[in-house]
Short mmCIF file of all heavy atoms in Angstrom, two decimals:
data_model
loop_
_atom_site.label_atom_id
_atom_site.label_comp_id
_atom_site.label_asym_id
_atom_site.label_seq_id
_atom_site.Cartn_x
_atom_site.Cartn_y
_atom_site.Cartn_z
N HIS A 206 0.88 -28.15 42.60
CA HIS A 206 0.15 -28.04 43.87
C HIS A 206 -0.19 -29.37 44.53
O HIS A 206 -0.39 -29.40 45.75
CB HIS A 206 -1.11 -27.19 43.72
CG HIS A 206 -0.83 -25.87 43.07
ND1 HIS A 206 0.10 -24.98 43.57
CD2 HIS A 206 -1.34 -25.29 41.95
CE1 HIS A 206 0.15 -23.92 42.79
NE2 HIS A 206 -0.71 -24.08 41.80
N THR A 207 -0.25 -30.43 43.80
CA THR A 207 -0.32 -31.77 44.36
C THR A 207 0.01 -32.77 43.27
O THR A 207 -0.35 -32.57 42.10
CB THR A 207 -1.69 -32.10 44.98
OG1 THR A 207 -1.68 -33.48 45.43
CG2 THR A 207 -2.81 -31.94 43.98
N ALA A 208 0.73 -33.82 43.65
CA ALA A 208 1.06 -34.87 42.69
C ALA A 208 0.19 -36.10 42.91
O ALA A 208 0.50 -37.19 42.43
CB ALA A 208 2.53 -35.23 42.80
N ILE A 209 -0.89 -35.90 43.65
CA ILE A 209 -1.89 -36.97 43.84
C ILE A 209 -3.07 -36.66 42.92
O ILE A 209 -3.73 -35.63 43.08
CB ILE A 209 -2.33 -37.07 45.31
CG1 ILE A 209 -1.12 -37.44 46.19
CG2 ILE A 209 -3.45 -38.08 45.47
CD1 ILE A 209 -1.42 -37.46 47.68
N GLU A 210 -3.30 -37.53 41.97
CA GLU A 210 -4.28 -37.27 40.90
C GLU A 210 -5.64 -36.86 41.42
O GLU A 210 -6.21 -35.84 40.98
CB GLU A 210 -4.42 -38.52 40.03
CG GLU A 210 -5.13 -38.30 38.71
CD GLU A 210 -4.16 -37.97 37.58
OE1 GLU A 210 -3.28 -38.82 37.31
OE2 GLU A 210 -4.29 -36.89 36.99
N LYS A 211 -6.19 -37.60 42.35
CA LYS A 211 -7.54 -37.34 42.83
C LYS A 211 -7.63 -35.95 43.47
O LYS A 211 -8.59 -35.20 43.23
CB LYS A 211 -7.96 -38.41 43.85
CG LYS A 211 -9.40 -38.30 44.34
CD LYS A 211 -9.75 -39.49 45.24
CE LYS A 211 -11.19 -39.43 45.70
NZ LYS A 211 -11.47 -38.26 46.56
N LYS A 212 -6.64 -35.60 44.27
CA LYS A 212 -6.65 -34.27 44.91
C LYS A 212 -6.52 -33.17 43.87
O LYS A 212 -7.19 -32.12 43.97
CB LYS A 212 -5.51 -34.16 45.92
CG LYS A 212 -5.71 -34.97 47.19
CD LYS A 212 -4.63 -34.65 48.20
CE LYS A 212 -4.83 -35.44 49.49
NZ LYS A 212 -3.82 -35.09 50.52
N ARG A 213 -5.67 -33.38 42.88
CA ARG A 213 -5.48 -32.34 41.86
C ARG A 213 -6.78 -32.09 41.08
O ARG A 213 -7.13 -30.96 40.78
CB ARG A 213 -4.35 -32.74 40.90
CG ARG A 213 -3.87 -31.58 40.02
CD ARG A 213 -2.55 -31.91 39.35
NE ARG A 213 -1.92 -30.69 38.85
CZ ARG A 213 -2.08 -30.21 37.62
NH1 ARG A 213 -2.85 -30.85 36.76
NH2 ARG A 213 -1.47 -29.10 37.24
N ASN A 214 -7.49 -33.18 40.79
CA ASN A 214 -8.75 -33.02 40.08
C ASN A 214 -9.80 -32.29 40.92
O ASN A 214 -10.68 -31.63 40.38
CB ASN A 214 -9.30 -34.39 39.66
CG ASN A 214 -8.44 -35.06 38.61
OD1 ASN A 214 -7.61 -34.42 37.96
ND2 ASN A 214 -8.63 -36.35 38.43
N GLU A 215 -9.67 -32.41 42.24
CA GLU A 215 -10.63 -31.73 43.11
C GLU A 215 -10.36 -30.22 43.18
O GLU A 215 -11.30 -29.42 43.15
CB GLU A 215 -10.56 -32.33 44.52
CG GLU A 215 -11.16 -33.74 44.60
CD GLU A 215 -10.90 -34.40 45.95
OE1 GLU A 215 -10.17 -33.80 46.77
OE2 GLU A 215 -11.42 -35.51 46.18
N ILE A 216 -9.11 -29.82 43.28
CA ILE A 216 -8.80 -28.39 43.41
C ILE A 216 -8.59 -27.70 42.06
O ILE A 216 -8.69 -26.48 41.97
CB ILE A 216 -7.57 -28.16 44.32
CG1 ILE A 216 -6.31 -28.76 43.71
CG2 ILE A 216 -7.82 -28.71 45.72
CD1 ILE A 216 -5.04 -28.43 44.48
N MET A 217 -8.30 -28.50 41.03
CA MET A 217 -8.14 -27.98 39.66
C MET A 217 -9.01 -28.86 38.75
O MET A 217 -8.49 -29.71 38.02
CB MET A 217 -6.67 -28.03 39.26
CG MET A 217 -5.74 -27.30 40.23
SD MET A 217 -3.97 -27.58 39.92
CE MET A 217 -3.69 -26.55 38.49
N PRO A 218 -10.32 -28.68 38.78
CA PRO A 218 -11.24 -29.61 38.12
C PRO A 218 -10.96 -29.87 36.63
O PRO A 218 -11.19 -30.97 36.14
CB PRO A 218 -12.61 -28.96 38.31
CG PRO A 218 -12.45 -28.16 39.56
CD PRO A 218 -11.05 -27.64 39.53
N PHE A 219 -10.45 -28.87 35.92
CA PHE A 219 -10.16 -29.07 34.50
C PHE A 219 -9.14 -30.18 34.27
O PHE A 219 -9.09 -30.79 33.19
CB PHE A 219 -9.62 -27.77 33.88
CG PHE A 219 -8.17 -27.52 34.20
CD1 PHE A 219 -7.17 -27.98 33.36
CD2 PHE A 219 -7.79 -26.88 35.36
CE1 PHE A 219 -5.83 -27.80 33.66
CE2 PHE A 219 -6.47 -26.69 35.68
CZ PHE A 219 -5.47 -27.15 34.82
N SER A 220 -8.32 -30.45 35.29
CA SER A 220 -7.20 -31.38 35.12
C SER A 220 -7.62 -32.83 34.98
O SER A 220 -6.79 -33.68 34.66
CB SER A 220 -6.20 -31.23 36.28
OG SER A 220 -6.77 -31.67 37.50
N ASP A 221 -8.90 -33.13 35.18
CA ASP A 221 -9.33 -34.52 34.97
C ASP A 221 -9.19 -34.92 33.51
O ASP A 221 -9.21 -36.12 33.18
CB ASP A 221 -10.75 -34.75 35.50
CG ASP A 221 -11.80 -33.92 34.77
OD1 ASP A 221 -11.44 -33.12 33.88
OD2 ASP A 221 -12.99 -34.06 35.12
N LYS A 222 -9.03 -33.94 32.61
CA LYS A 222 -8.82 -34.23 31.19
C LYS A 222 -7.34 -34.40 30.87
O LYS A 222 -6.99 -34.81 29.75
CB LYS A 222 -9.39 -33.09 30.33
CG LYS A 222 -10.89 -32.88 30.50
CD LYS A 222 -11.34 -31.67 29.69
CE LYS A 222 -12.83 -31.41 29.90
NZ LYS A 222 -13.29 -30.18 29.19
N PHE A 223 -6.48 -34.05 31.83
CA PHE A 223 -5.04 -34.06 31.60
C PHE A 223 -4.34 -34.83 32.72
O PHE A 223 -3.84 -34.23 33.68
CB PHE A 223 -4.50 -32.64 31.52
CG PHE A 223 -5.22 -31.77 30.53
CD1 PHE A 223 -6.03 -30.73 30.96
CD2 PHE A 223 -5.12 -32.01 29.17
CE1 PHE A 223 -6.71 -29.92 30.06
CE2 PHE A 223 -5.80 -31.22 28.25
CZ PHE A 223 -6.60 -30.18 28.69
N PRO A 224 -4.31 -36.16 32.65
CA PRO A 224 -3.71 -36.97 33.71
C PRO A 224 -2.25 -36.59 33.97
O PRO A 224 -1.54 -36.15 33.06
CB PRO A 224 -3.81 -38.40 33.15
CG PRO A 224 -4.90 -38.34 32.13
CD PRO A 224 -4.84 -36.96 31.55
#
Side-chain angles (χ1 to χ4, degrees):
H206 309 305
T207 176
I209 297 175
E210 194 92 60
K211 185 174 182 296
K212 288 188 179 183
R213 194 166 197 267
N214 292 344
E215 288 171 355
I216 64 173
M217 305 170 76
F219 79 91
S220 67
D221 63 358
K222 299 176 183 176
F223 307 110

